[in-house]
């Protein structure tokens, strides 16, 4: 077995907001891959618009730097649990990993998940305690917690021997011992060269595993992955081996390697390289690109199962087709199935209705990002309330259960415990730092977490952070009752007016402004009581010659509550839908008219009897 000493392949893994992308910024800037006068800003790798807006990494990305003549291929990964499929599919490209841990928060739920994935793949870990310049950092305690985590997850004794560095990614420094004065990120580069093993090169013809896909309007589909064996050259004949073992003959078009943010065109590449290759009409993530003389498939990428599902359907509201460019069932189906090519955690199924499709994902945010992406592409559709995916194992009805970690002030313990108990959560652990801060761990069914984020923000007044990780399937805990108040539902189609909205605000909180187009069955607010109520927000005040008081001159409305896409998904109940268009998102009832809804209630009562 040979090795390539001129390459190192590493993945950067961590919990969300522990500084992965900021550390990549420092590595890129200090490795001189940019010109001295080139202003790159921050979060260089997060070029996706949604990543910039949300402030989280959504997609795994490749880059590379040169240090002391060695090329270091870097894979930046998401830290949010909903995008853990991105972590799973790129682990096969790396030989080592940088595990970042916040110096205050310490190991979090996703830290445990990504470390388990890395150790399971045999990656050599390097621990980086980040944000050491923050006040109230507890570095020594965090190192001990990381050691405990390795003891829990290590599959062999060698994995317990790992180097620890201390860094401030924002400050661009790394040190090997506490108390040292940091100058730059060089100690991290040195540690990578010393501890991450070089790629092993097996003898034989070409084998390359496709771990990612890209698309160029001129070059077509681009397959990205690591070469495990042999060489790849332009215009060379190759075959792709798909999941069913089918073989498709192709010819390599162009080959690119990575350096900084650029793709460098090369004539050939060897085993150990991470490359982007063109020339394929059809290729999927997990396929093997192999020599036609010896077509041997590599082990396909394994991705965990989704836990949440919701339906995507053709928009059936009275405003359908007025704003979207892609609104037919054929266009919706084509777009959803296209997403499966790159989004391995996603599942899409046809249903009994040709206008509705069942979409399964890792969590609400995972599905919300898909909805927002499609909306911005010009799609118009409607989605249902997310539901936990259940299954039957050995004759038992099972449901997904998650670990919920909450960091907040101790004064909110009571309200959080009460709220979560209604969602069938069980308190597993509680830690207090004696400074008014508390960390709570609950085990809660996934169905109990749907719609919880809004309640959490309200209960903690924004002074809390919640994180979840999937624990596994457990026997069904029972149904969770409705926890939301009723809705204010428009009873007429038209435009909302100030007088009508003022009457609605006497009943509860409104979501729309005067002048907003509404239709019968559209949800325009939240009732202060449990039941839904139909209200005419298009009703204007009758004109008379008598003015009762000066207060009638101008009615002042309370500003409406504007729901984000994620909040709107959390808000809807089982009998409601979310209408999504390029210009607006609207909440609505499945049955639009009051008569239909009353008949539905009567029918449900008769079925119960």
């Amino acid at each position: 077995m040979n090795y390539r000493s001129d390459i190192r392949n590493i993945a950067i893994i961590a919990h969300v907001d522990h500084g992965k992308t900021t550390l990549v910024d420092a590595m890129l800037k200090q490795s001189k891959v940019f010109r001295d006068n080139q202003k790159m800003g921050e979060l260089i790798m997060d070029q996706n618009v949604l990543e910039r807006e949300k402030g989280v990494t959504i997609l795994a990305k490749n880059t590379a730097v040169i240090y002391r003549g060695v090329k270091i291929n870097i894979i930046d990964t998401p830290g949010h649990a909903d995008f853990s499929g991105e972590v799973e599919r790129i682990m096969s490209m790396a030989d080592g990993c940088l595990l970042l841990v916040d110096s205050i928060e310490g190991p979090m739920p996703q830290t445990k998940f990504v470390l388990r994935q890395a150790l399971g793949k045999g990656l050599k870990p390097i621990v980086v305690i980040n944000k050491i310049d923050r006040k109230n950092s507890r570095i020594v305690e965090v190192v001990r917690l990381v050691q405990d985590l390795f003891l829990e997850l290590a599959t062999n004794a060698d994995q317990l021997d790992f180097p620890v560095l201390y860094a401030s990614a924002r400050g661009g420094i790394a040190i090997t011992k506490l108390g040292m004065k940091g100058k730059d990120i060089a100690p991290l580069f040195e540690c990578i060269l010393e501890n991450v093993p070089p790629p092993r090169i097996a003898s034989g013809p070409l084998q390359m595993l496709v771990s990612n896909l890209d698309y160029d309007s001129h070059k077509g589909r681009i397959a990205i992955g690591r070469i495990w064996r042999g060489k790849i050259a332009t215009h060379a004949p190759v075959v792709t081996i798909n999941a069913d073992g089918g073989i498709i003959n192709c010819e390599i078009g162009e080959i690119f390697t990575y350096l900084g943010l650029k793709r460098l065109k090369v004539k050939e590449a060897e085993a150990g390289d991470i490359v982007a290759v063109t020339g394929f009409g059809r290729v999927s993530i997990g396929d093997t690109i192999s020599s036609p003389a010896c077509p041997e498939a590599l082990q396909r990428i394994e991705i965990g199962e989704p836990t949440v599902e919701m339906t995507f359907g053709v928009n059936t509201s009275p405003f359908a087709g007025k704003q979207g460019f892609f609104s037919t069932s054929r266009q919706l189906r084509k777009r959803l199935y296209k997403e499966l090519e790159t989004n391995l955690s996603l599942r899409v199924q046809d249903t009994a209705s040709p206008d509705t499709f069942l979409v399964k994902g890792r969590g609400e945010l995972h599905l919300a990002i898909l909805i927002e992406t499609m909306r911005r592409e010009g799609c118009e559709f409607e989605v249902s309330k997310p539901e936990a995916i259940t299954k039957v194992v050995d004759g038992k009805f099972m449901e997904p259960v998650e670990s919920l970690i909450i960091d907040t002030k101790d004064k909110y313990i009571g309200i959080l415990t009460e709220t979560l108990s209604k969602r069938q959560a069980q308190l597993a652990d509680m830690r207090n730092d004696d400074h008014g801060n508390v960390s709570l761990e609950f085990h809660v069914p996934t169905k109990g977490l749907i719609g919880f984020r809004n309640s959490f923000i309200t209960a903690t007044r924004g002074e809390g952070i919640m994180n979840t990780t999937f624990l596994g399937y457990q026997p069904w805990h029972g149904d969770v009752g409705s926890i939301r108040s009723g809705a204010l539902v428009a009873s007429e189609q038209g435009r909302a007016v100030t007088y009508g909205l003022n009457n609605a605000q006497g009943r509860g909180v409104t979501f729309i402004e005067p002048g907003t187009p509404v239709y019968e069955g559209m949800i325009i607010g939240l009732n202060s009581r449990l039941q839904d109520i139909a209200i005419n927000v298009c009703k204007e005040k009758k004109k008379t010659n008598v003015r009762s008081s000066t207060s009638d001159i101008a009615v002042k409305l309370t500003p409406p509550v504007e729901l984000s896409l994620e909040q709107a998904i959390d808000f809807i109940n089982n009998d409601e839908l979310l209408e999504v268009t390029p210009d607006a998102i609207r909440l609505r009832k499945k049955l639009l008219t009051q008569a239909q809804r009353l008949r539905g209630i009567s029918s449900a009562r008769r079925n119960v009897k």
Side-chain angles (χ1 to χ4, degrees):
M1 188 72 70
N2 297 320
Y3 294 86
R4 283 194 62 178
S5 58
D6 61 331
I7 287 181
R8 300 291 189 276
N9 296 321
I10 63 166
I12 299 185
I13 58 177
H15 186 79
V16 64
D17 201 31
H18 278 201
K20 298 178 302 300
T21 306
T22 305
L23 182 64
V24 175
D25 288 354
M27 297 172 76
L28 288 170
K29 291 175 180 178
Q30 295 190 28
S31 61
K32 303 298 182 183
V33 296
F34 305 124
R35 300 188 309 272
D36 292 338
N37 64 343
Q38 194 172 359
K39 296 181 179 179
M40 298 307 302
E42 297 180 344
L43 305 178
I44 299 171
M45 295 294 291
D46 286 350
Q47 297 297 317
N48 184 286
V49 176
L50 280 177
E51 290 180 322
R52 291 278 182 174
E53 291 181 7
K54 303 292 183 184
V56 296
T57 301
I58 297 172
L59 303 171
K61 308 174 193 66
N62 297 81
T63 187
V65 300
I66 304 293
Y67 182 77
R68 289 208 291 120
V70 178
K71 184 177 184 179
I72 303 175
N73 286 310
I74 303 169
I75 308 164
D76 186 20
T77 65
H80 199 286
D82 282 22
F83 309 113
S84 52
E86 293 287 307
V87 180
E88 292 172 300
R89 70 175 175 80
I90 60 84
M91 284 292 186
S92 60
M93 290 197 288
D95 299 298
C97 65
L98 299 182
L99 177 68
L100 266 69
V101 183
D102 189 289
S103 64
I104 294 179
E105 294 183 356
M108 299 294 284
Q110 189 68 358
T111 311
K112 184 175 182 178
F113 173 83
V114 295
L115 181 59
R116 181 187 288 114
Q117 293 292 321
L119 296 180
K121 294 290 184 181
L123 272 58
K124 176 66 177 178
I126 297 174
V127 174
V128 181
I129 307 300
N130 193 26
K131 305 183 183 181
I132 59 173
D133 54 338
R134 291 179 62 183
K135 294 181 180 179
N136 302 324
S137 62
R138 49 191 187 110
I139 300 172
V140 175
E141 183 181 355
V142 167
V143 171
R144 180 181 58 79
L145 293 173
V146 171
Q147 291 171 340
D148 292 343
L149 187 60
F150 270 83
L151 282 170
E152 179 185 348
L153 301 178
T155 57
N156 59 68
D158 293 339
Q159 293 175 336
L160 299 177
D161 182 20
F162 53 89
V164 179
L165 279 78
Y166 309 91
S168 169
R170 187 172 294 278
I173 62 169
I175 55 178
T176 55
K177 293 182 180 180
L178 289 175
M180 295 177 61
K181 187 175 181 181
K183 296 180 180 179
D184 51 31
I185 213 76
L188 179 59
F189 286 131
E190 295 288 348
C191 188
I192 292 171
L193 297 189
E194 182 179 348
N195 292 278
V196 176
R200 292 184 297 177
I201 309 302
S203 58
L206 171 68
Q207 271 188 318
M208 171 182 164
L209 183 65
V210 179
S211 299
N212 200 0
L213 291 178
D214 200 356
Y215 184 82
D216 184 272
S217 56
H218 298 289
K219 299 180 176 64
R221 189 165 296 184
I222 302 173
I224 302 169
R226 174 175 169 173
I227 304 173
W228 286 95
R229 194 175 72 184
K231 296 182 179 181
I232 193 168
T234 55
H235 306 300
V238 296
V239 296
T240 60
I241 307 173
N242 60 28
D244 300 324
I247 295 177
I248 302 175
N249 292 297
C250 308
E251 180 181 313
I252 298 298
E254 296 177 313
I255 303 170
F256 300 89
T257 59
Y258 290 88
L259 184 64
L261 301 183
K262 297 180 180 178
R263 285 178 179 165
L264 304 180
K265 188 176 179 179
V266 296
K267 292 185 178 180
E268 67 174 23
E270 301 179 2
D273 279 322
I274 294 176
V275 296
V277 186
T278 67
F280 305 98
R282 291 178 57 189
V283 67
S284 302
I285 294 175
D287 288 359
T288 299
I289 299 173
S290 180
S291 167
C294 184
E296 296 178 353
L298 291 162
Q299 182 178 353
R300 292 189 71 84
I301 299 170
E302 296 181 0
I303 300 294
E305 297 180 4
T307 58
V308 174
E309 64 184 14
M310 63 196 307
T311 60
F312 284 52
V314 174
N315 188 9
T316 57
S317 84
F319 293 167
K322 293 184 178 181
Q323 297 175 324
F325 299 104
F326 310 106
S327 56
T328 66
S329 59
R330 179 183 61 82
Q331 292 168 329
L332 180 60
R333 185 180 190 277
K334 181 180 179 182
R335 176 62 183 84
L336 287 173
Y337 277 91
K338 180 183 177 183
E339 185 70 19
L340 296 179
E341 296 178 0
T342 55
N343 198 335
L344 292 192
S345 300
L346 202 71
R347 304 285 188 274
V348 179
Q349 296 177 5
D350 293 342
T351 66
S353 169
D355 295 335
T356 306
F357 308 93
L358 185 65
V359 181
K360 304 178 181 181
R362 282 290 181 90
E364 290 178 88
L365 183 59
H366 183 206
L367 296 174
I369 292 296
L370 172 62
I371 293 169
E372 181 64 22
T373 301
M374 292 174 60
R375 184 179 77 85
R376 296 188 183 199
E377 292 173 356
C379 295
E380 181 178 322
F381 52 98
E382 61 189 23
V383 299
S384 68
K385 176 184 176 64
E387 296 180 356
I389 299 174
T390 57
K391 60 183 180 180
V392 178
V393 179
D394 297 331
K396 294 182 179 179
F397 197 50
M398 310 287 280
E399 67 174 334
V401 176
E402 301 185 42
S403 171
L404 170 66
I405 305 291
I406 293 176
D407 293 295
T408 186
K409 302 292 184 181
D410 55 11
K411 60 184 177 181
Y412 302 123
I413 293 176
I415 183 64
L416 287 173
T417 304
E418 180 184 353
T419 302
L420 284 166
S421 65
K422 297 177 182 177
R423 296 171 176 267
Q424 301 178 343
Q426 296 179 345
L427 182 63
D429 189 21
M430 180 171 65
R431 287 174 293 171
N432 198 308
D433 66 354
D434 298 326
H435 296 288
N437 302 311
V438 66
S439 177
L440 305 169
E441 180 181 359
F442 293 90
H443 292 172
V444 55
T446 299
K447 66 174 182 289
L449 286 175
I450 295 173
F452 172 67
R453 189 172 297 274
N454 288 335
S455 302
F456 170 73
I457 294 173
T458 303
T460 61
R461 301 180 183 179
E463 295 184 298
I465 300 173
M466 59 173 281
N467 294 284
T468 62
T469 186
F470 178 62
L471 288 178
Y473 277 82
Q474 294 181 9
W476 178 254
H477 290 64
D479 294 324
V480 175
S482 178
I483 316 168
R484 199 200 75 188
S485 299
L488 300 179
V489 186
S491 61
E492 301 287 341
Q493 183 166 333
R495 287 187 176 271
V497 297
T498 302
Y499 183 75
L501 285 174
N502 186 51
N503 291 334
Q505 289 190 347
R507 302 278 190 171
V509 178
T510 55
F511 298 154
I512 61 173
E513 296 179 339
T516 303
V518 299
Y519 54 81
E520 184 180 5
M522 178 174 161
I523 297 172
I524 54 89
L526 180 66
N527 192 7
S528 57
R529 300 190 178 186
L530 293 178
Q531 69 273 18
D532 296 337
I533 183 170
I535 191 164
N536 185 5
V537 292
C538 304
K539 181 181 179 180
E540 297 185 4
K541 185 179 179 181
K542 295 180 179 179
K543 296 179 180 179
T544 66
N545 292 327
V546 180
R547 188 170 68 211
S548 60
S549 69
T550 55
S551 62
D552 286 346
I553 297 175
V555 176
K556 292 185 178 181
L557 296 175
T558 304
V561 174
E562 297 183 6
L563 299 180
S564 66
L565 177 62
E566 291 87 351
Q567 290 173 328
I569 293 173
D570 280 348
F571 179 86
I572 56 178
N573 272 336
N574 292 325
D575 64 336
E576 297 165 355
L577 295 171
L578 180 64
E579 178 188 354
V580 181
T581 74
D583 299 328
I585 56 173
R586 303 183 185 95
L587 303 162
R588 53 158 288 188
K589 288 291 182 179
K590 286 183 179 180
L591 302 176
L592 291 179
T593 68
Q594 178 75 351
Q596 289 174 328
R597 294 195 294 275
L598 290 175
R599 282 198 298 268
I601 294 173
S602 300
S603 176
R605 287 175 177 171
R606 284 196 301 271
N607 291 335
V608 171
K609 292 179 180 178

